[in-house]
Amino acid sequence: MTHGTKFGPFTPSTAPDGFEHEPDATAGYWSHRAKNTLPPPDFVGPYARHRPLPTPGVEDRKAWIIGGGIGGLAAAFYLVRDGHMPPANITVLEEMDVEGGSMDGAGNPDEGYLIRGGREMNWNYDTLWDMFQDVPAVELPEGYSVLDEYRLLNDNDPNYSKARLMRNQGEIIDFKDMGLTRSQQWEMIRLMLKRKEDLDDVTIEEYFSKGFLSSNFWALFRSMFAFKNCHSLLETKLYMHRFLDSVDGFGDLSALVFPKYNQYDTFIKPLADMLRQKGVRFQFDTRVQDLELSEADGRRTVTGIVCTVSGQPQRLEVGDTDLVFALTGSMTENTAYGDMDTVPQLTVGRHEPGEQSGWTLWRNLAEKSDVFGHPEKFYGDTDQSIWESATLTCKPSPLVDKLKTLSVNDPYSGRTVTGGIITFTDSNWLLNVTCNRQPHFPDQPEDTLVLWVYGLLMDQPGNHVSKTMPECTGREILSELCHHLGIEDQIDAVVANTKVRTALMPYITAQFMKRAAGDRPHVVPEGCTNLGLIGQFVETRNDIIFTMEASIRTARVGVYKLLNIPKQAPDISPTQYDIRNLIRGARALNSGKPFLGERLLHRLLDKTYYAHILPPLPEADNQRREAFEAEVDTLAAKGGTALKSLGSWIANVRKGFE
């Protein structure tokens, strides 16, 4: 039902029946037509920044948000900005004593800093930038936003790496060489052509050849996004579509943009501070175990929140018109910590997280109905979802000296350092190290650097230390790192000036576990009237996971649907359909060499308006005809006699353009 406003009876404040709050750009052909006022499903731009009218009665409704991570904070943000809900009516329930969830940043120079993970962003995280262009900046004056600050920084300090891949204790690999044969390139192309529905419960290693999985491309891809070969092929496909426009920046990481500080100080703190100032309530030390639901005629309504507050059991009453947003699962749940001389000790079993874990709420919901998915598919085998990170707090040492030789700028300059992770391709742990802009924490001393290390493979002994990474102390992990950097003979001097804090995370890539349709619940599960699910274990149309963007998207969709706001959360940026990105990606996968058929495109287009969409050819002008004829001969041999006259046909077309 829609409601007229003072703008007239045809200006609704709620969406009409059938309105799609989460449009799917792959669902069908879109075209302009009569009575079609909405833009394409993946449209992003200022026209999508409109502010909807308040939903009738929203001022009397309350919202309970379970989980104070980026998804929960985003739900509060969209309830206020687009939902017009009074901030004082919104309560964030958080298990820990600080907001942020998996996006943490803590510690000090004396005990050592700690960050369990980092965040890589690109230009097309449109929902993330939609939110942070309205969040006040951390350091710029009033009137500037986090987005303003972020872009000013990256526009003036471009990100790139000069040592993306290494081996043999310090040798830099040519990371522009993807190492893919023509047949291995076709493996990727075939995957991108496959329907999503055909990839249920298929793993990466079940599809790709061994040659593909040992290529430089796969080393770049899996280390950048943290894929194991046992993970979901479907998720890999979604990543390839999402980052198609970035493939030619995978090698030097020039496709990425990074913040000035750690993820907590850059994103979580300014967003949470803004919400508090507006009046949003935060309640910490609150663990939610279950939601009470009433069911009638296929409709499910949350009536109560079963939780423990400061160790005491409580039930929070939820009215019929109130809203609940709940985090399902957590990739950093049950993290075990260690330091220089201790080994992290896991408290969960391989197949069972226990009753007092962050998975309990989702498990209890799933027992009520299949519409809530199957959480056991994600937490059921920690051997496939576990990896470990280490945060290094470094004073000057041979490690810092070595870092300087691998960095784009001096590490103490405040500018880009390594430009992202350096991956040691011959590491049994698939070890990675990175140094982001320094200082990484606002209170960090001038002579201190913070480095971050992670290993993806947890079941093999190290190349230098004869233990698996989870069996190692921080000192031993530091020793293994020094080995791969070629400075193991200086380990004592490094240890003397380095503090190490480790984080072993059993579910850190649980969201990548192989899955099928129905394993992840929808943002608003079927029949739910006042419940939205948020986070990394929730189904979206075409987006990926393990990103801030994914969590924010689920929150945005949930708010729009539950309040029936006549506004859409656009599908992912349409860059995957841009012919320029397709051509650049094909050239990059072919290690920068012209792909088969590219010279034909040049001969056809290089005298036309569209010549600029093609990458420059590597040959001198006087050699291009010979190279073109050789390509035509190759295609003719592969495609039969019909292609033998293609060269003369293109020549005639070119004359027509002239």
Side-chain angles (χ1 to χ4, degrees):
M1 179 178 178
T2 61
H3 299 266
T5 69
K6 65 180 180 180
F7 296 105
F10 305 112
T11 306
S13 54
T14 55
D17 292 342
F19 185 90
E20 183 53 75
H21 294 94
E22 186 187 11
D24 183 357
T26 69
Y29 178 73
W30 182 92
S31 66
H32 288 289
R33 61 191 184 277
K35 299 184 179 180
N36 181 26
T37 61
L38 294 175
D42 48 9
F43 175 84
V44 290
Y47 193 68
R49 283 275 294 164
H50 66 292
R51 192 178 187 198
L53 297 169
T55 302
V58 70
E59 66 276 4
D60 298 320
R61 304 175 76 171
K62 294 181 180 179
W64 301 91
I65 299 172
I66 301 168
I70 188 64
L73 299 181
F77 171 88
Y78 282 107
L79 282 168
V80 174
R81 193 194 76 177
D82 291 343
H84 299 275
M85 181 175 283
N89 292 7
I90 302 168
T91 302
V92 178
L93 305 175
E94 169 55 46
E95 175 186 345
M96 299 189 296
D97 59 1
V98 64
E99 67 276 351
S102 298
M103 293 181 60
D104 54 7
N108 56 65
D110 297 325
E111 298 173 334
Y113 293 101
L114 178 67
I115 40 177
R116 286 181 289 188
R119 294 295 179 270
E120 301 165 333
M121 268 71 70
N122 78 352
W123 308 323
N124 296 322
Y125 281 8
D126 296 304
T127 298
L128 180 148
W129 301 127
D130 173 80
M131 181 169 72
F132 279 104
Q133 65 185 318
D134 288 335
V135 177
V138 176
E139 294 178 334
L140 286 177
E142 183 179 355
Y144 287 92
S145 70
V146 169
L147 172 60
D148 297 330
E149 208 163 41
Y150 202 103
R151 176 141 189 191
L152 282 169
L153 176 69
N154 282 278
D155 284 359
N156 291 283
D157 181 25
N159 188 80
Y160 65 98
S161 169
K162 69 177 190 180
R164 175 65 181 87
L165 299 178
M166 296 184 70
R167 65 186 173 197
N168 298 333
Q169 295 181 266
E171 175 192 345
I172 298 175
I173 301 174
D174 179 7
F175 43 77
K176 292 183 180 178
D177 180 3
M178 297 294 181
L180 295 173
T181 64
R182 288 268 168 79
S183 64
Q184 290 162 1
Q185 293 173 39
W186 274 105
E187 290 179 41
M188 266 197 65
I189 294 170
R190 285 196 300 271
L191 176 59
M192 296 187 72
L193 293 173
K194 285 183 177 293
R195 291 167 53 88
K196 294 183 295 182
E197 295 80 2
D198 298 332
L199 300 177
D200 283 357
D201 282 331
V202 180
T203 66
I204 293 166
E205 58 196 354
E206 289 172 338
Y207 173 80
F208 285 115
S209 65
K210 290 183 178 180
F212 182 96
L213 296 178
S214 61
S215 67
N216 282 351
F217 172 82
W218 187 241
L220 293 167
F221 189 94
R222 72 182 311 202
S223 58
M224 184 176 175
F225 301 123
F227 277 101
K228 296 184 180 183
N229 293 349
C230 59
H231 285 157
S232 166
L233 181 66
L234 172 56
E235 203 58 47
T236 308
K237 172 184 170 62
L238 294 176
Y239 263 78
M240 289 177 175
H241 288 279
R242 185 45 137 134
F243 292 106
L244 180 64
D245 63 324
S246 303
V247 172
D248 65 332
F250 278 7
D252 63 6
L253 296 177
S254 57
L256 301 180
V257 286
F258 286 97
K260 179 178 180 179
Y261 295 124
N262 64 83
Q263 58 200 349
Y264 177 82
D265 287 299
T266 298
F267 296 111
I268 297 298
K269 189 175 187 302
L271 176 57
D273 286 350
M274 183 190 78
L275 294 173
R276 280 194 180 90
Q277 289 167 9
K278 288 181 177 293
V280 173
R281 298 176 59 242
F282 286 77
Q283 179 176 312
F284 296 107
D285 197 14
T286 301
R287 176 189 285 271
V288 176
Q289 291 92 8
D290 202 359
L291 299 177
E292 295 177 354
L293 302 177
S294 66
E295 297 191 33
D297 301 323
R299 293 164 61 85
R300 300 178 179 87
T301 301
V302 179
T303 58
I305 299 173
V306 179
C307 59
T308 303
V309 181
S310 300
Q312 299 300 313
Q314 273 196 28
R315 179 188 180 276
L316 304 176
E317 182 73 21
V318 178
D320 289 346
T321 61
D322 294 344
L323 305 180
V324 176
F325 296 88
L327 179 72
T328 57
S330 169
M331 59 188 181
T332 52
E333 179 67 20
N334 297 113
T335 298
Y337 298 98
D339 56 28
M340 204 70 175
D341 298 305
T342 62
V343 176
Q345 301 294 323
L346 288 180
T347 58
V348 296
R350 175 179 174 183
H351 305 294
E352 180 55 50
E355 288 302 318
Q356 299 302 315
S357 80
W359 298 93
T360 301
L361 173 59
W362 188 12
R363 289 171 61 167
N364 286 335
L365 286 174
E367 288 176 0
K368 302 179 197 300
S369 172
D370 280 342
V371 301
F372 296 112
H374 305 108
E376 68 278 2
K377 292 287 289 285
F378 302 94
Y379 68 63
D381 190 349
T382 57
D383 283 0
Q384 296 186 15
S385 60
I386 190 172
W387 51 256
E388 185 172 6
S389 71
T391 310
L392 280 52
T393 304
C394 308
K395 297 287 188 180
S397 76
L399 174 59
V400 173
D401 295 338
K402 181 65 178 181
L403 178 71
K404 290 179 179 179
T405 69
L406 305 174
S407 298
V408 174
N409 298 295
D410 185 292
Y412 298 102
S413 68
R415 300 178 69 84
T416 294
V417 186
T418 62
I421 57 172
I422 297 171
T423 299
F424 304 103
T425 60
D426 55 356
S427 165
N428 290 346
W429 299 346
L430 197 62
L431 200 63
N432 304 264
V433 62
T434 184
C435 183
N436 291 318
R437 294 182 180 99
Q438 303 292 310
H440 201 51
F441 288 81
D443 67 346
Q444 191 175 314
E446 291 184 359
D447 66 342
T448 301
L449 300 179
V450 174
L451 279 62
W452 186 74
V453 173
Y454 99 94
L456 188 61
L457 307 180
M458 299 288 98
D459 58 348
Q460 298 293 322
N463 303 76
H464 177 65
V465 178
S466 57
K467 298 179 182 178
T468 65
M469 191 174 181
E471 294 172 334
C472 289
T473 62
R475 187 185 305 269
E476 291 167 327
I477 291 172
L478 185 59
S479 179
E480 183 76 9
L481 173 64
C482 289
H483 166 80
H484 286 290
L485 288 170
I487 56 171
E488 62 184 78
D489 58 333
Q490 302 177 76
I491 182 63
D492 290 341
V494 173
V495 167
N497 284 314
T498 308
K499 296 180 178 70
V500 181
R501 296 179 66 180
T502 61
L504 182 60
M505 297 166 283
Y507 305 111
I508 188 59
T509 49
Q511 63 273 21
F512 286 162
M513 298 288 274
K514 70 177 184 180
R515 58 181 170 82
D519 287 337
R520 300 192 313 199
H522 290 286
V523 175
V524 178
E526 182 181 357
C528 289
T529 64
N530 66 345
L531 173 62
L533 303 178
I534 57 178
Q536 301 295 312
F537 299 91
V538 180
E539 196 69 44
T540 59
R541 295 293 197 198
N542 296 299
D543 210 351
I544 57 173
I545 34 131
F546 210 5
T547 63
M548 292 172 63
E549 174 79 357
S551 291
I552 298 169
R553 177 179 295 277
T554 59
R556 188 179 186 185
V557 170
V559 170
Y560 290 1
K561 282 192 172 185
L562 290 178
L563 288 179
N564 200 24
I565 296 171
K567 184 172 181 175
Q568 296 176 311
D571 203 351
I572 65 171
S573 179
T575 54
Q576 61 172 308
Y577 303 113
D578 190 324
I579 187 65
R580 296 169 297 180
N581 293 327
L582 291 167
I583 291 172
R584 284 194 297 110
R587 171 73 81 92
L589 290 176
N590 203 39
S591 301
K593 299 185 290 290
F595 56 86
L596 192 60
E598 186 181 334
R599 289 186 177 85
L600 296 180
L601 291 174
H602 272 274
R603 293 288 288 180
L604 180 63
L605 298 177
D606 65 3
K607 300 294 184 183
T608 75
Y609 175 84
Y610 295 101
H612 67 281
I613 72 174
L614 299 172
L617 290 170
E619 304 89 10
D621 290 348
N622 60 356
Q623 298 174 317
R624 288 183 182 174
R625 182 170 183 82
E626 182 179 340
F628 166 69
E629 291 173 349
E631 183 173 273
V632 170
D633 289 342
T634 300
L635 287 169
K638 292 179 177 294
T641 57
L643 284 171
K644 292 183 179 179
S645 60
L646 186 59
S648 59
W649 178 82
I650 289 178
N652 290 332
V653 171
R654 282 162 54 86
K655 289 180 181 178
F657 288 141
E658 295 170 2

